[in-house]
């Protein structure tokens, strides 16, 4: 097994590198650690990372001690962390499995970056790959789900910049256990693997024994199928990428999907699914959307995923990030010459005298207010439903939503509107880069002015 493993390792790291090994103490990860210890490749170095999820009482601490002692005996750098997994799962309203996965991969990513590792290695094997395929099929998956686990990819976190490799993926659990026995590799036994609380354990302990009576080599067969699915996926993805590049344009984090060009595509529904899947829209929403754009009554309709909003204009499907309220405010305690920023928009605040204003060449994207009329503190924030003002030069109040209609603002224009306001007061002082409230205009008695200019 060592020779085969070294060939895999050489393929994954032809120039060598430093690898962070995720070691739980179970047979798979301990065999992986032993194989790294005995590799004949001289340009490979490694450290160990161990997570204590505090899910198995004393067993969790016994596993940690076991791995720590093994590393100390073999002079391997040992990194560890404790997680309150159950509390994190409650806070995030997710399963224990998903919580443990999110916690460990976030930590692996940060540790690999800080320790200058080229990749993180986990000990998934061929059985895990087959389990994942069946789980994906049972949950309902697209073509990507049929490819199950990749031998070489990236850690599934937001920034996705650290490699994640699985050097044991071509070995079955039986081969790994046999190697452990032959080489006398000790490991800790996780008694929860024999329990059927989790779906993966149900497949491993109840479904696999039945499948083995039908085909004793079903693990090998399923992994061969996965390999073929990967080839099909790569072929289809290449064609999809070509189609998508002609259908989608992106500007300032906003994606515009050309509806006419999409419907002219003979694989329009499949293509739409692959465009929107990465934005978190589920199959039900995409089916509803596809039915809408094939009708004549869809303009203005919207859909939401966890992180994105989708809106339909006459010619485009528009997808843009959902704004988080906590990130969309700037608090101003005092007014002076300063620069503020919300999202990707920046503004300069400058105080001028009335005389200075006469000598300035004023840009288009600027609002000018009578400084002495401005109350403090102030907020720069996203506009909200119910906000209103008295547009400069007019007498009566006007809701911002009505003002946007008059000005023919599209959904993106409205999404990007920033206002100057008194705390959460609905009577706003100005729409930045657009128009001020008449109550704060410059008059003959104005001496000090506040200029708010958008910077590009």
């Amino acid at each position: 097994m060592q020779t085969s493993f070294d060939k895999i390792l050489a393929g994954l790291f032809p120039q060598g590198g430093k690898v962070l090994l995720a070691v739980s103490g179970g047979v798979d990860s301990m065999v992986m650690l032993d194989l790294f210890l005995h590799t004949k490749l001289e340009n490979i170095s490694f450290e160990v990372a161990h997570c204590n999820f505090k899910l198995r009482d004393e067993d969790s601490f016994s596993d940690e001690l076991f791995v720590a002692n093994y590393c100390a005996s073999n002079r391997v750098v040992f990194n560890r962390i404790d997680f309150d997994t159950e509390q994190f799962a409650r806070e995030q309203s997710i399963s224990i499995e998903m919580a443990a996965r999110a916690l460990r991969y976030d930590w692996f990513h940060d540790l690999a970056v800080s320790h200058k590792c080229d990749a993180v290695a986990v000990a998934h094997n061929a059985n895990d790959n087959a389990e994942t395929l069946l789980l994906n099929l049972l949950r309902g998956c697209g073509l990507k789900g049929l490819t199950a686990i990749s031998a070489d990819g990236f850690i599934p976190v937001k920034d996705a910049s650290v490699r994640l490799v699985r050097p044991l993926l071509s070995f079955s659990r039986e081969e790994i256990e046999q190697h452990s026995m032959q080489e006398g590799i000790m490991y800790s036994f996780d008694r929860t693997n024999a329990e059927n609380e989790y779906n993966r354990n149900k497949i491993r302990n109840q479904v696999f024994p039945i499948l083995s009576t039908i085909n004793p080599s079903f693990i090998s067969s399923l992994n061969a199928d996965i390999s073929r699915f990967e080839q099909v996926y790569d072929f289809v993805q290449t064609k999809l990428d070509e189609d998508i590049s002609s259908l989608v344009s992106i500007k300032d984090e906003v994606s515009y999907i050309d509806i006419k060009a999409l419907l002219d595509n003979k694989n329009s529904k499949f293509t739409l699914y692959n465009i929107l899947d990465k934005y978190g829209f589920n199959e039900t929403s995409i089916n509803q959307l596809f039915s809408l754009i094939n009708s004549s009554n869809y303009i203005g309709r919207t859909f939401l995923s966890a992180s994105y909003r989708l809106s339909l204009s006459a010619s485009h499907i528009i997808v843009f990030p959902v704004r988080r309220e906590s990130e969309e405010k700037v608090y101003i305690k005092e007014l002076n010459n300063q620069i503020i920023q919300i999202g990707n928009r920046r503004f300069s605040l400058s105080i001028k005298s009335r005389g200075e204003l006469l000598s300035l060449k004023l840009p288009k994207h600027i609002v000018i207010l009578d400084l002495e009329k401005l109350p403090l503190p102030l907020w720069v924030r996203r506009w909200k439903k119910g906000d209103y003002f008295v547009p400069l030069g007019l007498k009566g109040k006007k809701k911002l939503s009505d003002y946007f209609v008059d000005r023919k603002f599209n959904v993106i224009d409205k999404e990007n509107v920033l206002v100057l306001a008194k705390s959460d007061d609905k009577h706003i002082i100005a729409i930045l880069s657009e128009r001020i409230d008449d109550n704060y205009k410059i008059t003959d008695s104005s001496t000090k002015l506040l200029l708010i200019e958008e910077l590009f």
Side-chain angles (χ1 to χ4, degrees):
M1 186 172 179
Q2 184 72 58
T3 302
S4 298
F5 179 83
D6 283 357
K7 288 181 180 178
I8 292 169
L9 208 57
L12 290 170
F13 301 99
Q15 307 302 320
K18 182 180 179 181
V19 189
L20 182 67
L21 310 186
V23 179
S24 66
V27 62
D28 298 329
S29 62
M30 291 305 296
V31 165
M32 180 177 72
L33 174 54
D34 183 80
L35 290 167
F36 267 92
L37 275 168
H38 294 96
T39 182
K40 302 259 188 319
L41 304 179
E42 297 180 354
N43 54 359
I44 295 290
S45 62
F46 59 92
E47 297 182 8
V48 162
H50 177 84
C51 302
N52 185 340
F53 295 105
K54 298 183 179 179
L55 294 173
R56 298 184 293 116
D57 302 322
E58 291 301 318
D59 287 352
S60 293
F61 295 96
S62 297
D63 290 351
E64 179 183 320
L65 185 61
F66 170 72
V67 178
N69 288 339
Y70 187 95
C71 289
S73 299
N74 290 279
R75 297 181 180 179
V76 175
V77 175
F78 176 72
N79 305 279
R80 59 163 303 278
I81 194 169
D82 292 336
F83 292 121
D84 190 336
T85 312
E86 291 181 339
Q87 180 179 335
F88 181 78
R90 286 193 298 271
E91 291 172 351
Q92 301 297 317
S93 299
I94 55 177
S95 69
I96 293 292
E97 288 176 291
M98 292 301 294
R101 183 178 187 272
L103 288 167
R104 68 175 175 266
Y105 279 132
D106 278 345
W107 182 58
F108 292 159
H109 175 274
D110 293 345
L111 190 63
V113 171
S114 63
H115 287 214
K116 295 181 170 58
C117 296
D118 298 294
V120 173
V122 292
H124 291 134
N125 57 48
N127 291 56
D128 295 318
N129 210 13
E131 291 165 10
T132 300
L133 173 62
L134 293 183
L135 281 169
N136 288 349
L137 286 169
L138 290 170
R139 291 171 183 148
C141 66
L143 184 57
K144 177 60 177 173
L146 298 179
T147 64
I149 301 173
S150 172
D152 190 0
F154 292 92
I155 287 189
V157 296
K158 187 175 182 180
D159 121 336
S161 62
V162 175
R163 280 180 76 193
L164 180 68
V165 299
R166 297 178 172 91
L168 297 187
L169 200 60
S170 61
F171 301 103
S172 70
R173 185 167 289 119
E174 184 181 6
E175 290 175 297
I176 291 169
E177 290 174 348
Q178 185 176 5
H179 180 81
S180 170
M181 189 178 300
Q182 289 173 347
E183 301 300 321
I185 301 169
M186 302 296 292
Y187 59 89
S188 58
F189 177 72
D190 184 351
R191 55 185 170 81
T192 63
N193 286 335
E195 300 170 357
N196 293 322
E197 180 180 353
Y198 303 121
N199 288 335
R200 186 174 288 275
N201 284 10
K202 290 176 184 176
I203 288 177
R204 180 180 304 166
N205 300 327
Q206 297 178 334
V207 177
F208 274 13
I210 295 173
L211 293 179
S212 66
T213 65
I214 301 171
N215 177 5
S217 303
F218 78 95
I219 294 291
S220 175
S221 298
L222 288 179
N223 276 270
D225 285 336
I226 290 168
S227 178
R228 286 188 281 271
F229 293 148
E230 287 177 338
Q231 294 176 51
V232 172
Y233 176 77
D234 289 342
F235 175 81
V236 171
Q237 199 60 46
T238 299
K239 180 65 171 65
L240 269 173
D241 288 344
E242 293 173 0
D243 288 350
I244 289 172
S245 64
S246 66
L247 298 173
V248 183
S249 58
I250 300 174
K251 182 180 180 182
D252 297 331
E253 297 185 312
V254 180
S255 297
Y256 299 85
I257 306 165
D258 188 310
I259 293 175
K260 184 180 183 304
L262 173 68
L263 294 178
D264 286 342
N265 185 302
K266 64 180 180 180
N267 299 309
S268 54
K269 191 172 184 179
F270 181 69
T271 302
L272 181 63
Y273 179 87
N274 281 273
I275 294 172
L276 296 181
D277 179 58
K278 68 178 180 180
Y279 295 114
F281 292 95
N282 60 33
E283 187 173 5
T284 300
S285 295
I286 295 171
N287 285 338
Q288 292 174 351
L289 172 62
F290 190 74
S291 297
L292 274 175
I293 61 176
N294 277 280
S295 72
S296 58
N297 185 27
Y298 60 78
I299 297 174
R301 298 290 291 272
T302 62
F303 292 80
L304 282 173
S305 71
S307 303
Y308 287 87
R309 181 180 298 162
L310 180 155
S311 181
L312 293 168
S313 72
S315 58
H316 288 86
I317 299 169
I318 306 169
V319 186
F320 47 95
V322 172
R323 308 291 185 185
R324 287 184 171 83
E325 185 67 25
S326 60
E327 300 172 358
E328 302 299 304
K329 289 183 178 180
V330 172
Y331 180 64
I332 302 173
K333 290 192 297 183
E334 55 184 271
L335 292 168
N336 49 41
N337 296 325
Q338 58 189 292
I339 291 177
I340 61 172
Q341 181 165 353
I342 290 184
N344 60 1
R345 297 182 68 186
R346 296 169 65 243
F347 299 86
S348 71
L349 277 62
S350 54
I351 297 173
K352 304 290 183 183
S353 69
R354 187 179 178 84
E356 288 178 293
L357 184 64
L358 298 175
S359 62
L360 293 176
K361 183 178 180 181
L362 299 178
K364 180 181 179 181
H365 300 281
I366 193 169
V367 295
I368 305 172
L369 303 133
D370 188 322
L371 182 67
E372 294 177 353
K373 294 178 182 176
L374 294 174
L376 290 174
L378 293 170
W379 289 96
V380 174
R381 60 169 174 81
R382 298 281 170 187
W383 80 281
K384 298 178 180 179
K385 186 177 180 180
D387 281 348
Y388 68 92
F389 75 143
V390 179
L392 179 65
L394 301 180
K395 296 297 182 184
K397 297 177 182 178
K398 196 173 193 71
K399 287 185 177 180
L400 265 60
S401 55
D402 294 334
Y403 178 82
F404 299 151
V405 172
D406 293 345
R407 294 277 289 125
K408 294 183 170 56
F409 278 24
N410 62 34
V411 65
I412 301 301
D413 295 331
K414 289 188 284 188
E415 181 73 14
N416 286 327
V417 166
L418 296 173
V419 300
L420 183 69
K422 298 176 288 185
S423 186
D424 284 332
D425 193 341
K426 294 292 185 182
H427 188 167
I428 63 119
I429 294 168
I431 303 173
L432 297 188
S433 296
E434 174 72 19
R435 199 163 181 173
I436 70 169
D437 183 282
D438 195 72
N439 295 293
Y440 300 94
K441 67 185 177 184
I442 305 167
T443 64
D444 292 340
S445 61
S446 301
T447 56
K448 290 288 184 181
L449 315 175
L450 178 67
L451 280 65
I452 305 178
E453 177 188 352
E454 183 161 8
L455 305 174
F456 294 95

